[in-house]
Amino acid sequence: MLLLGLSIFSTLEILSQEFHRAAHSPPAKTAKFLNFLIDNGIAISRKQHFGHHTSPYEDNYCIVSGVCNEWMDSNDAFRWMEKRVFDLTGEEPNSWKVSTKFLKGDCDGDGVNII
């Protein structure tokens, strides 16, 4: 059972990386089945994924389908995770470096740390 679980996990992890790669590639250089998944909203669209690479780099972290992005962004789930990583490692996320709105976890920009 463990081997089956690891096999499924590994397969899905590889597919997630392929979806992410496809979001960075033009349709002409992407496998037809991946273009089909993108065109039908199963895999994240190139346009939606581009938001992840746009300053201030603070949202759209869900790179497989993007289905969870709106909820995760509106509930500051990524801000919460960034703060936990900062507390553990001392490494600031890019969004804190380019946007004063998120400095040291000040998620709503009003001086109150809501994390």
Side-chain angles (χ1 to χ4, degrees):
M1 195 56 138
L2 178 63
L3 185 57
L4 176 63
L6 289 172
S7 297
I8 291 170
F9 173 81
S10 298
T11 300
L12 293 174
E13 175 59 27
I14 291 167
L15 283 174
S16 75
Q17 294 306 311
E18 283 301 305
F19 291 169
H20 186 221
R21 185 192 58 76
H24 285 268
S25 302
K29 294 191 177 211
T30 304
K32 289 181 183 181
F33 86 94
L34 287 173
N35 283 326
F36 174 83
L37 296 175
I38 290 169
D39 294 342
N40 289 284
I42 298 166
I44 194 165
S45 72
R46 291 168 178 89
K47 181 178 180 180
Q48 185 181 13
H49 181 68
F50 182 71
H52 173 70
H53 294 285
T54 304
S55 180
Y57 312 104
E58 63 193 28
D59 55 15
N60 291 309
Y61 287 112
C62 300
I63 62 168
V64 175
S65 71
V67 170
C68 297
N69 277 330
E70 185 176 339
W71 186 89
M72 297 286 281
D73 293 342
S74 66
N75 287 290
D76 291 319
F78 297 121
R79 305 294 75 76
W80 184 88
M81 287 185 262
E82 288 171 347
K83 181 72 168 93
R84 303 295 79 74
V85 170
F86 175 75
D87 290 345
L88 287 170
T89 67
E91 184 64 33
E92 293 183 0
N94 288 337
S95 61
W96 293 8
K97 296 173 185 174
V98 298
S99 174
T100 57
K101 176 178 167 184
F102 294 113
L103 286 175
K104 302 297 184 234
D106 178 17
C107 292
D108 57 5
D110 66 358
V112 178
N113 189 336
I114 62 172
I115 296 180

